[in-house]
Amino acid sequence: MAPPGDPRRLCRLVQEGRLRALKEELEVAGGCQGPAGDTLLHCAARHGRLDILAYLVEAWSMDIEAANRDYKRPLHEAASMGHRDCVDYLLDRGAAVDSLKKADWTPLMMACTRKNLEVIQVLVEHGANPLLKNKDGWNSFHIASREGDPVILRCLYEPDCRDNCGVTPFMDAIQCGHVNIAKLLLEKHKACPSAEDRLGAQALHRAAVTGQDEAIQFLVSSLGIDVDVRAKSTRLTALLYAAKEGQTSTVQTLLSLGADINSKDERNRSALHLACAGQHVACTKFLLQSGLKDSEDLTGTLAQQLTKSIDILQDFNHTVKS
């Protein structure tokens, strides 16, 4: 058992909410830092112990802006874990609402990952800036779009703000399959469905890479996005992106929407070329069955050889296991 005043014991008392026992031991131990440089304030904020948090600030004058080794403040902890009462208290005591932890994450960004509307509202009301960006170029709006909560998105701003790769929240929502969020961004925030990232790729291309068939149907059928539109930098269509990533069902979806099966990139490579190059057997088989079987086409020949070789290898593995 840890002796009185041991940092681990003090942290455990905070975690368990044992204020009386903590008071007694602090008379002996004074302050405390844990293995990650946490103070008792960090621990109290993380576990939502408002009474202990207030005691440590008011009786011991502990610094509410104390940072641990990841530069987290107690406000980061409280916001991250959704403890509104602790967030309220720290802000009322003057905690910096937009303090930065490692990788430039703010308390508001961390609250957005937990989808706690009340905490987000409190932070915004106290002046938290949803447009601040972390080291990846994400702001709170990007994070909320990725998490897929339409109610939280209504508290935030700037639908077409971009991260370091030029990706908008609308693109984030589409590539993650959050069609309801994409609709909200269009209807309430006038997001641009044809915005391009730094490589000139649109939401349609990013959805093809991640295999979001429903999102692709929405973009093409409901919004009228050209199914064969090319990314400006790579010159790839959504079909070529999907084949390159081996997204067989997405290739099928795109073809059903009228995508040109014979489209090629700048190096004259077709979807079949790209599926073969990635050794995507299922995708290769599907494309072969979709009409790319010309015996004079070198790609078709290579694809057939690749499929046959892998089938032989699979049969061999099955035999060995048997």
Side-chain angles (χ1 to χ4, degrees):
M1 182 176 178
D6 182 275
R8 292 168 297 177
R9 178 176 172 80
L10 291 172
C11 287
R12 187 166 62 252
L13 292 175
V14 173
Q15 182 176 346
E16 295 171 357
R18 297 168 60 187
L19 178 56
R20 180 178 297 179
L22 179 69
K23 287 180 178 179
E24 294 173 356
E25 296 214 14
L26 277 177
E27 294 296 334
V28 176
C32 166
Q33 281 203 332
D38 289 342
T39 66
L40 291 179
L41 285 182
H42 286 86
C43 189
R46 183 182 307 128
H47 294 285
R49 303 299 184 185
L50 177 60
D51 56 344
I52 295 178
L53 188 69
Y55 168 72
L56 294 170
V57 172
E58 295 167 25
W60 286 87
S61 300
M62 288 192 178
D63 183 8
I64 60 173
E65 296 294 356
N68 67 10
R69 292 177 190 171
D70 288 330
Y71 308 115
K72 274 187 182 179
R73 275 70 166 180
L75 183 60
H76 286 101
E77 297 285 4
S80 172
M81 300 308 293
H83 299 307
R84 177 181 173 171
D85 53 355
C86 292
V87 170
D88 276 326
Y89 177 81
L90 290 166
L91 290 172
D92 288 344
R93 298 290 299 195
V97 70
D98 284 328
S99 55
L100 303 180
K101 80 169 194 70
K102 196 172 184 178
D104 290 348
W105 280 68
T106 66
L108 180 59
M109 292 176 193
M110 299 186 75
C112 285
T113 67
R114 295 284 182 168
K115 300 192 289 189
N116 189 308
L117 179 60
E118 288 189 348
V119 170
I120 290 169
Q121 287 175 327
V122 168
L123 291 165
V124 171
E125 287 168 3
H126 279 78
N129 184 353
L131 300 183
L132 291 178
K133 296 181 179 181
N134 63 18
K135 287 291 181 63
D136 294 312
W138 304 340
N139 61 29
S140 297
F141 206 88
H142 288 100
I143 295 166
S145 296
R146 289 178 180 232
E147 295 299 325
D149 193 321
V151 178
I152 288 175
L153 281 168
R154 293 191 183 102
C155 298
L156 306 173
Y157 316 102
E158 295 298 322
D160 284 330
C161 50
R162 299 172 182 273
D163 68 10
N164 290 347
C165 296
V167 176
T168 66
F170 180 83
M171 293 181 197
D172 265 332
I174 286 291
Q175 71 183 359
C176 292
H178 300 312
V179 177
N180 60 327
I181 297 300
K183 290 179 179 178
L184 173 68
L185 293 171
L186 289 169
E187 295 166 7
K188 303 294 184 181
H189 300 279
K190 309 304 180 186
C192 177
S194 59
E196 299 172 349
D197 64 17
R198 289 192 174 180
L199 293 178
Q202 297 184 17
L204 178 66
H205 302 118
R206 302 185 73 91
V209 170
T210 56
Q212 300 296 342
D213 296 353
E214 182 188 356
I216 289 171
Q217 290 273 5
F218 169 67
L219 290 169
V220 176
S221 299
S222 299
L223 301 185
I225 299 296
D226 180 4
V227 71
D228 288 320
V229 64
R230 293 181 181 271
K232 287 185 178 177
S233 177
T234 64
R235 302 303 298 161
L236 297 180
T237 64
L239 179 65
L240 295 174
Y241 272 116
K244 184 178 180 181
E245 298 299 324
Q247 301 285 9
T248 306
S249 67
T250 302
V251 167
Q252 186 173 6
T253 296
L254 288 163
L255 290 176
S256 73
L257 292 169
D260 181 6
I261 195 172
N262 295 310
S263 62
K264 296 181 180 180
D265 66 7
E266 289 185 326
R267 295 169 58 186
N268 204 36
R269 296 177 300 179
S270 67
L272 193 55
H273 277 93
L274 297 173
C276 288
Q279 299 186 20
H280 302 303
V281 180
C283 193
T284 298
K285 285 183 175 180
F286 176 78
L287 286 166
L288 285 169
Q289 293 164 0
S290 299
L292 295 179
K293 295 182 179 180
D294 187 349
S295 61
E296 298 300 318
D297 187 339
L298 178 59
T299 307
T301 302
L302 289 174
Q304 290 168 342
Q305 290 176 349
L306 172 64
T307 302
K308 182 177 179 180
S309 298
I310 294 179
D311 284 343
I312 292 172
L313 180 59
Q314 290 173 338
D315 290 341
F316 174 76
N317 288 337
H318 179 74
T319 302
V320 171
K321 291 179 181 178
S322 302

